[in-house]
Amino acid sequence: MKKLLKSLLCAVLLTTLLVGCGNQTNQGVTKVAVIQLVDHTSLNTIKKAFDEQMQALGYKEGENVEYIFANANGDNNTASSIVQDFKGKSPDVVVAIATPVAQASAPLAKDMPVVFAAVTDPITAKLTTTLEKPDKNITGTSDEVQVDKILERALEIDPDMKTLGVIYNKGETNSVTNIQKAKDFALKHNIKIEEVTITSLNEAQSAINVLTQKCDAVFSPNDNTVASAMNVVATACKKAKIPFYVGADSMVQDGGFLSVGITYDDLGKETANMVDQVLKGTDVSNIPVKVFKDNLKIFVNEKTMKELGIELPKNIQDDEALIIMK
Ligand code: TRP
């Protein structure tokens, strides 16, 4: 009897130990922690495509995967506390959607792999030293912005464009890189740049008012703060009859005039494929960052175009890559 009791005790102890350590051993349930910077059309698209692809890969919520999801609502302090919370929960992988939250999640990579989605410039953001061989236990997908291609279209539409306004958040590494590209382009084409920066939604209205007073056109890269303020910024540009060139399809959808770029569904899907690889044990250093820069489309918002009274030049009209958004 004593012996039986002893082995029973042992069994209980062993089970407790097993359940307590490691997550995948925990009844085969994988823990995936996801942090999204803010609710804007593009990041929501990425998250949705990611979720769907995870499902397709066989990760079923409530069966073999547990998601911990948090939205930082565009706030860095909120992002830090979310990351702190993730740390305590020891997920098998952390997924970070957009640059600022990928940067906030970077310290977690000491203990767990981090996969980012849509980080425009992972090297300047200090997430890895090289794209080919990630060296910080962090990898993911990147969305290169086609600044030259966008501004070339702008010049085709208005060859007399003399002053180009740029609006962005200086705190977003992803935008700083692209604004520099816009400045280089402007210099080459004898265009004057007028610059305004914003740090939050509240500043959008007064910032855009400054630009619409003195510019022939306005450009924003795929800046998360501007993308969250499209109803203000795009509306002001339309009112002033100024074309607003933007760094992402979603910003065209949300009232911007034209963009050249990728389709973010593909990027969200690929992020899930990378997470799957990590969960199956591939070392992060063997999963190169995937840069999305092929299969580019020209996105034009039809309503905005009509309000601006612009007619697209023939070469753009005839371009097979043209997508008119209704
Ligand atoms: N690339 C942005 C970043 O690095 C995130 C992003 C994805 C984005 N899609 C966008 C920003 C569309 C603005 C608009 O943070």
Side-chain angles (χ1 to χ4, degrees):
M1 187 60 196
K2 232 182 178 173
K3 218 170 164 189
L4 189 73
L5 208 70
K6 225 176 172 180
S7 44
L8 209 71
L9 250 166
C10 263
V12 170
L13 206 71
L14 204 70
T15 327
T16 328
L17 267 172
L18 273 177
V19 170
C21 74
N23 306 295
Q24 271 165 314
T25 47
N26 184 2
Q27 295 135 354
V29 176
T30 303
K31 229 191 244 182
V32 178
V34 183
I35 178 168
Q36 178 175 330
L37 173 66
V38 68
D39 246 337
H40 69 61
T41 309
S42 189
L43 302 189
N44 293 344
T45 301
I46 295 166
K47 169 69 168 44
K48 185 162 174 272
F50 171 82
D51 286 343
E52 286 170 1
Q53 181 65 2
M54 287 296 282
Q55 276 255 2
L57 289 164
Y59 295 90
K60 306 271 186 262
E61 197 167 3
E63 285 178 34
N64 56 3
V65 64
E66 179 195 339
Y67 287 107
I68 311 164
F69 176 72
N71 190 318
N73 295 317
D75 183 72
N76 286 339
N77 293 330
T78 311
S80 306
S81 51
I82 291 169
V83 165
Q84 221 25 57
D85 178 60
F86 281 3
K87 189 173 178 177
K89 291 189 166 135
S90 305
D92 296 288
V93 63
V94 172
V95 180
I97 308 177
T99 303
V101 289
Q103 290 174 310
S105 304
L108 293 175
K110 277 197 289 276
D111 304 310
M112 57 195 83
V114 174
V115 178
F116 56 76
V119 168
T120 298
D121 187 350
I123 295 177
T124 307
K126 298 200 160 61
L127 300 171
T128 180
T129 314
T130 74
L131 300 180
E132 298 73 27
K133 200 115 188 97
D135 54 351
K136 297 186 178 166
N137 207 23
I138 306 173
T139 188
T141 52
S142 174
D143 52 341
E144 197 175 283
V145 180
Q146 306 302 323
V147 179
D148 281 21
K149 292 198 168 79
I150 296 168
L151 296 181
E152 275 158 21
R153 297 291 88 81
L155 267 182
E156 283 166 7
I157 289 164
D158 178 10
D160 295 329
M161 181 170 75
K162 288 281 171 283
T163 309
L164 176 68
V166 294
I167 178 166
Y168 68 106
N169 180 347
K170 257 192 193 151
E172 292 191 30
T173 326
N174 41 299
S175 300
V176 175
T177 307
N178 290 311
I179 291 297
Q180 191 50 51
K181 287 189 197 170
K183 287 179 180 166
D184 294 345
F185 182 96
L187 199 64
K188 232 191 315 183
H189 293 88
N190 225 355
I191 296 165
K192 185 172 171 228
I193 291 272
E194 289 287 346
E195 173 173 329
V196 294
T197 59
I198 56 175
T199 55
S200 73
L201 289 184
N202 313 337
E203 297 165 13
Q205 185 72 62
S206 51
I208 192 63
N209 287 350
V210 170
L211 292 185
T212 52
Q213 277 169 32
K214 45 184 173 187
C215 300
D216 302 317
V218 172
F219 169 70
S220 167
N222 58 4
D223 183 280
N224 291 289
T225 315
V226 178
S228 309
M230 283 305 284
N231 59 343
V232 172
V233 182
T235 307
C237 290
K238 277 188 270 190
K239 246 197 196 150
K241 297 264 186 274
I242 288 171
F244 183 24
Y245 295 92
V246 290
D249 55 356
S250 67
M251 295 167 85
V252 173
Q253 202 175 319
D254 292 342
F257 168 48
L258 181 147
S259 184
V260 180
I262 61 161
T263 309
Y264 279 85
D265 278 298
D266 303 342
L267 181 145
K269 243 185 175 180
E270 186 56 26
T271 309
N273 292 338
M274 293 169 101
V275 165
D276 181 46
Q277 270 183 287
V278 168
L279 290 172
K280 287 188 171 140
T282 309
D283 198 83
V284 170
S285 64
N286 290 324
I287 310 175
V289 171
K290 177 134 194 211
V291 182
F292 282 73
K293 57 178 175 188
D294 300 324
N295 198 12
L296 298 174
K297 304 277 186 251
I298 306 170
F299 300 96
V300 171
N301 183 314
E302 190 174 47
K303 234 173 117 205
T304 305
M305 179 169 66
K306 284 197 174 133
E307 279 182 51
L308 295 172
I310 290 176
E311 201 183 322
L312 293 176
K314 184 133 183 11
N315 68 314
I316 299 181
Q317 275 185 34
D318 292 345
D319 200 314
E320 275 175 18
L322 178 65
I323 295 181
I324 300 280
M325 297 175 123
K326 304 268 173 200

